[in-house]
Amino acid sequence: MSRTEIATIGEFGLIRRLTEDIKLINESSKYGVGDDAAVLTYPSEKQVLVTTDLLMEGVHFDLVYVPLKHLGYKAAVVNFSDIYAMNGSPKQITVSLAISKRFSIEDIEEFYTGLRLACEQYHVDIVGGDTTSSLTGLAISITCIGEADKDSIIYRNGAKETDLICVSGDLGAAYMGLQLLEREKSVFKGEKEVQPDFSGKEYLLERQLKPEARADIIKRLAEASIKPTAMMDISDGLSSELLHICTQSKVGCRIYEEHIPIDYQTAVMAEEFNMNLTTCALNGGEDYELLFTVPIADHEKISEMEGIKLIGHITKPEMGCALISRDGQEFELKAQGWNPLQEEKK
Amino acid sequence: MSRTEIATIGEFGLIRRLTEDIKLINESSKYGVGDDAAVLTYPSEKQVLVTTDLLMEGVHFDLVYVPLKHLGYKAAVVNFSDIYAMNGSPKQITVSLAISKRFSIEDIEEFYTGLRLACEQYHVDIVGGDTTSSLTGLAISITCIGEADKDSIIYRNGAKETDLICVSGDLGAAYMGLQLLEREKSVFKGEKEVQPDFSGKEYLLERQLKPEARADIIKRLAEASIKPTAMMDISDGLSSELLHICTQSKVGCRIYEEHIPIDYQTAVMAEEFNMNLTTCALNGGEDYELLFTVPIADHEKISEMEGIKLIGHITKPEMGCALISRDGQEFELKAQGWNPLQEEKK
């Protein structure tokens, strides 16, 4: 691929090149890139949701094995996921990039290709941003704006005693994908001549490199007239997120090891790495599945829904938060999920 | 000041510490920090404005001489300025920080003190954000959400032939303040024992370290029933911004050197540094003054307004964009403002 230095066209030239053919598709997007601010129009029956993520090279992603196109896709999708987790629909994003001299125009176009693909897929408009330079590495800040009907927003704090705890999809695969990529890093660096053999492990790589936000689950819950009492997306790991829901809802919980949904490839890989599978599923993170609670009255309806697993139930707060293992033992849930500012676990 | 490592409390501990006593003051701020997304409610007669800025240590600020409290204040205010430049009012911000190990909890609290001071001053709510780690330096990403009445938004593309070109305040002082701080950098580093003598130069330092957004000008224009045809804030320098307005409005312009507002301290400092004063005012940047155009029919009204200077007029596009010097010579305006991704000027 050819390499054109960004310095040849400067900030405004780059922004023009990346954004000139962007079309706005949402009614609420009135004016996009090109002025001091984007202009949005939301009808009064809607509430506006805002979420933001800052991703730093070397902390959140490793460009040795993450293609820029995938990074663009993922950076957008993880923000959409937060909006769905409020029971809303993402509508606009702003995209800020700080770019070091290592990156060419073509690199940033690759990133934008992935970003725009995600936006097309989820019907989201790119309405603004900031493009600037960085002394080291790439920094990506995305803010996503979405909408929800006034009465349909679902917070983390609505879980009630006896509610059922549900998760969509399966857990731990994205983390296993990361382990796999880390193991083969020397190959990507060109230090080894052999190609890594990823056959049979495609699902794990896809979960790590190209996650999707569960718009489909939100839609199906609405169609089935199920309104969760609390909901969030699983980005830092099931344990960590469940503790957020319990703390904010002032309740306890019991979840059952045997009910945690895990894909076959995840299990095989954990075995290969000699890792505890349940720990991976509880603390792995980056699954972007939905964790939610529903009233026990919805038991039958939710049990019939494909791709949703019942993993436990909400209890009185004094019961604490625990995992019941396959052999019936009770373990206190701890937030061991990904926490970039925490001290290393010893 | 004592120093507590962020690692002792982790990401969630830090967020809690920084945000636990935040109160929401705006009616449109329904739910702030603590869920997957913030929830805002805007009435349908309002349009929602969104702007974002990404600031990188070493590129946008130098912590050798910028106190973290001032940095917090400025990081917020520059975003408010973009909302005012659309003729709107800022209402909410989200704040994302990526922090390297160099920073302590107290450092980040300092930053937040400045940030919150700016928010109080301008009646803006902190409704969300992201706090994470960085391998090197500090990265700050702020998104500001504001509102404007449907018919009162002012874009960059509305300037018409014969319109008058106006600027608020004075130009070049922030740039001179930066030069001054750069000159005294060795003192801040402790390499020299003497204290820098900033007396008589306080205005320049304040313009650089603690800029304000011109909410007052927006208010007074509305009170005088003057609606600019085009407007933006001057962050990259007058030349660069005026070219944006002319390009987007498809017009030309003439501005007059003798009418460009410059403070006495700026002039003294330019002399001391042996710099061309007009070049500093045209290209210095970071003034956060408002640049706007008004119909010629408003000439009398605008001339009477304090703190606003008429610097020229809009022309047909084929006239190009030019500065008329004190001796009547015509110079083509060029965007030589701050452009972090451009090659160094030779």
Side-chain angles (χ1 to χ4, degrees):
Chain A
M1 197 197 284
S2 71
R3 180 184 167 93
T4 318
E5 299 300 328
I6 293 169
T8 57
I9 57 171
E11 178 187 354
F12 299 122
L14 181 63
I15 294 173
R16 207 156 34 234
R17 188 142 158 185
L18 295 171
T19 61
E20 64 188 348
D21 62 339
I22 286 179
K23 305 256 176 305
L24 302 179
I25 55 168
N26 288 312
E27 220 176 303
S28 52
S29 307
K30 195 168 151 58
Y31 193 97
V33 176
D35 216 296
D36 295 291
V39 181
L40 314 177
T41 313
Y42 277 99
S44 59
E45 72 273 15
K46 296 285 183 188
Q47 285 191 316
V48 181
L49 303 168
V50 183
T51 184
T52 190
D53 252 314
L54 177 57
L55 305 175
M56 303 293 290
E57 186 177 350
V59 176
H60 300 89
F61 55 89
D62 187 336
L63 291 176
V64 168
Y65 52 73
V66 177
L68 280 160
K69 188 173 161 184
H70 284 79
L71 183 61
Y73 192 91
K74 183 169 173 175
V77 164
V78 302
N79 277 285
F80 303 162
S81 181
D82 278 320
I83 298 291
Y84 290 119
M86 300 292 288
N87 205 23
S89 309
K91 294 294 174 187
Q92 290 91 17
I93 54 170
T94 62
V95 185
S96 296
L97 297 178
I99 307 164
S100 73
K101 290 218 172 92
R102 215 172 81 230
F103 297 90
S104 65
I105 296 178
E106 290 80 6
D107 289 335
I108 305 305
E109 283 181 331
E110 271 292 292
F111 177 88
Y112 254 75
T113 301
L115 190 75
R116 292 179 68 164
L117 190 64
C119 287
E120 273 167 40
Q121 209 80 39
Y122 290 86
H123 309 289
V124 171
D125 291 319
I126 300 173
V127 295
D130 191 12
T131 309
T132 188
S133 62
S134 130
L135 293 183
T136 54
L138 181 64
I140 306 163
S141 175
I142 293 186
T143 297
C144 184
I145 299 123
E147 63 173 40
D149 290 327
K150 272 199 166 29
D151 303 321
S152 64
I153 292 179
I154 300 170
Y155 295 90
R156 296 177 179 178
N157 61 9
K160 301 270 177 301
E161 205 193 323
T162 77
D163 279 357
L164 305 171
I165 303 170
C166 312
V167 291
S168 64
D170 59 81
L171 302 178
Y175 179 72
M176 277 300 146
L178 181 65
Q179 300 308 311
L180 189 59
L181 286 162
E182 280 287 338
R183 187 178 70 180
E184 305 296 337
K185 200 166 160 177
S186 56
V187 176
F188 290 98
K189 279 181 171 163
E191 289 165 7
K192 279 196 221 158
E193 292 230 334
V194 289
Q195 277 297 304
D197 183 10
F198 288 142
S199 66
K201 293 158 187 159
E202 295 83 358
Y203 179 66
L204 305 179
L205 294 182
E206 196 178 315
R207 291 287 282 177
Q208 171 57 226
L209 295 174
K210 194 170 173 286
E212 300 292 348
R214 301 306 307 258
D216 57 329
I217 299 287
I218 295 301
K219 190 164 164 247
R220 284 162 48 209
L221 286 171
E223 284 165 1
S225 305
I226 298 173
K227 192 187 171 197
T229 49
M231 181 158 63
M232 63 186 297
D233 71 332
I234 303 177
S235 53
D236 296 338
L238 175 63
S239 284
S240 168
E241 315 301 20
L242 196 49
L243 287 171
H244 280 304
I245 285 184
C246 289
T247 307
Q248 295 195 28
S249 300
K250 299 187 178 68
V251 293
C253 71
R254 286 291 170 281
I255 59 170
Y256 296 86
E257 186 180 17
E258 63 191 314
H259 294 314
I260 297 174
I262 293 172
D263 184 77
Y264 174 73
Q265 288 189 24
T266 309
V268 170
M269 208 59 224
E271 176 90 19
E272 203 178 315
F273 277 118
N274 208 8
M275 285 171 144
N276 181 298
L277 182 57
T278 303
T279 306
C280 295
L282 283 177
N283 303 317
E286 295 201 277
D287 294 311
Y288 302 105
E289 293 296 343
L290 292 169
L291 168 67
F292 56 94
T293 55
V294 297
I296 198 161
D298 285 331
H299 182 270
E300 207 183 317
K301 279 200 276 181
I302 202 85
S303 306
E304 285 166 2
M305 281 182 73
E306 219 186 311
I308 291 176
K309 267 299 266 288
L310 264 167
I311 62 165
H313 57 271
I314 297 294
T315 65
K316 287 193 199 339
E318 49 272 29
M319 299 277 288
C321 296
L323 171 81
I324 314 297
S325 67
R326 283 199 171 75
D327 58 6
Q329 279 189 280
E330 215 176 283
F331 294 93
E332 193 194 334
L333 279 181
K334 284 192 182 134
Q336 292 182 306
W338 195 74
N339 188 338
L341 294 171
Q342 195 89 52
E343 277 180 287
E344 296 279 315
K345 306 289 178 323
K346 266 129 202 170
Chain B
M1 196 195 285
S2 71
R3 179 186 166 92
T4 319
E5 300 300 328
I6 293 169
T8 58
I9 56 171
E11 178 187 354
F12 300 121
L14 180 63
I15 294 173
R16 207 159 32 235
R17 189 142 160 186
L18 295 171
T19 61
E20 64 188 349
D21 61 338
I22 287 179
K23 304 258 177 304
L24 302 179
I25 54 168
N26 288 310
E27 219 177 304
S28 52
S29 306
K30 195 167 152 56
Y31 193 97
V33 176
D35 217 297
D36 295 291
V39 181
L40 313 178
T41 313
Y42 277 99
S44 60
E45 72 274 15
K46 297 285 184 188
Q47 286 191 315
V48 181
L49 303 168
V50 182
T51 184
T52 190
D53 253 313
L54 177 56
L55 304 175
M56 303 294 290
E57 186 177 350
V59 176
H60 300 89
F61 56 89
D62 187 337
L63 291 176
V64 168
Y65 52 73
V66 177
L68 279 160
K69 188 174 160 183
H70 283 79
L71 183 62
Y73 192 90
K74 184 169 173 174
V77 164
V78 302
N79 277 284
F80 303 161
S81 181
D82 278 319
I83 299 291
Y84 290 119
M86 301 294 287
N87 205 22
S89 309
K91 294 293 174 189
Q92 289 91 17
I93 54 169
T94 63
V95 185
S96 296
L97 297 178
I99 308 164
S100 73
K101 289 215 172 95
R102 215 172 80 230
F103 297 90
S104 66
I105 296 179
E106 291 80 6
D107 289 335
I108 305 304
E109 283 181 332
E110 271 293 293
F111 178 87
Y112 254 76
T113 301
L115 189 76
R116 292 179 67 164
L117 191 62
C119 287
E120 272 166 41
Q121 209 80 39
Y122 291 87
H123 309 289
V124 171
D125 291 319
I126 300 173
V127 294
D130 191 12
T131 309
T132 188
S133 63
S134 129
L135 294 184
T136 54
L138 181 64
I140 306 161
S141 175
I142 292 185
T143 297
C144 183
I145 300 122
E147 64 174 37
D149 290 327
K150 271 200 166 30
D151 303 321
S152 63
I153 292 179
I154 300 170
Y155 295 90
R156 296 177 179 178
N157 62 10
K160 300 268 177 304
E161 206 193 322
T162 77
D163 278 358
L164 304 171
I165 302 170
C166 310
V167 291
S168 64
D170 59 82
L171 302 179
Y175 179 72
M176 277 300 146
L178 181 65
Q179 299 308 310
L180 190 59
L181 287 162
E182 280 287 339
R183 188 178 69 179
E184 306 296 338
K185 200 167 161 177
S186 56
V187 176
F188 291 99
K189 279 181 172 163
E191 289 164 8
K192 279 197 221 157
E193 293 229 336
V194 289
Q195 277 297 305
D197 183 9
F198 289 141
S199 66
K201 291 158 189 160
E202 295 82 359
Y203 180 65
L204 306 180
L205 294 181
E206 196 179 315
R207 292 287 281 176
Q208 171 56 229
L209 294 175
K210 194 171 173 284
E212 300 291 349
R214 300 306 308 257
D216 57 330
I217 299 286
I218 296 300
K219 190 163 164 248
R220 283 162 50 209
L221 286 171
E223 283 165 2
S225 304
I226 297 173
K227 192 187 171 197
T229 49
M231 183 157 63
M232 64 187 295
D233 72 331
I234 303 178
S235 53
D236 296 339
L238 175 63
S239 284
S240 167
E241 315 302 19
L242 196 49
L243 287 171
H244 280 304
I245 286 184
C246 289
T247 307
Q248 294 195 30
S249 301
K250 299 187 178 67
V251 293
C253 72
R254 287 289 170 281
I255 59 169
Y256 297 85
E257 185 180 17
E258 64 192 314
H259 294 315
I260 297 174
I262 293 171
D263 184 78
Y264 174 74
Q265 288 189 27
T266 309
V268 169
M269 209 59 224
E271 177 91 19
E272 201 177 317
F273 278 118
N274 207 7
M275 285 171 145
N276 181 299
L277 182 58
T278 303
T279 306
C280 295
L282 283 177
N283 303 319
E286 296 200 276
D287 295 310
Y288 302 106
E289 295 295 343
L290 292 169
L291 168 66
F292 56 95
T293 55
V294 297
I296 198 161
D298 285 331
H299 182 269
E300 208 182 314
K301 279 200 277 183
I302 201 84
S303 307
E304 283 166 3
M305 282 181 74
E306 219 185 310
I308 290 175
K309 267 300 267 288
L310 264 167
I311 62 165
H313 58 269
I314 296 294
T315 65
K316 286 192 199 341
E318 50 272 30
M319 299 277 288
C321 295
L323 171 81
I324 314 297
S325 68
R326 283 200 170 74
D327 58 4
Q329 279 188 279
E330 215 175 284
F331 294 93
E332 193 193 335
L333 279 182
K334 284 192 182 135
Q336 292 182 308
W338 194 74
N339 188 339
L341 294 170
Q342 194 90 49
E343 275 180 289
E344 294 279 316
K345 306 288 177 324
K346 267 132 201 166

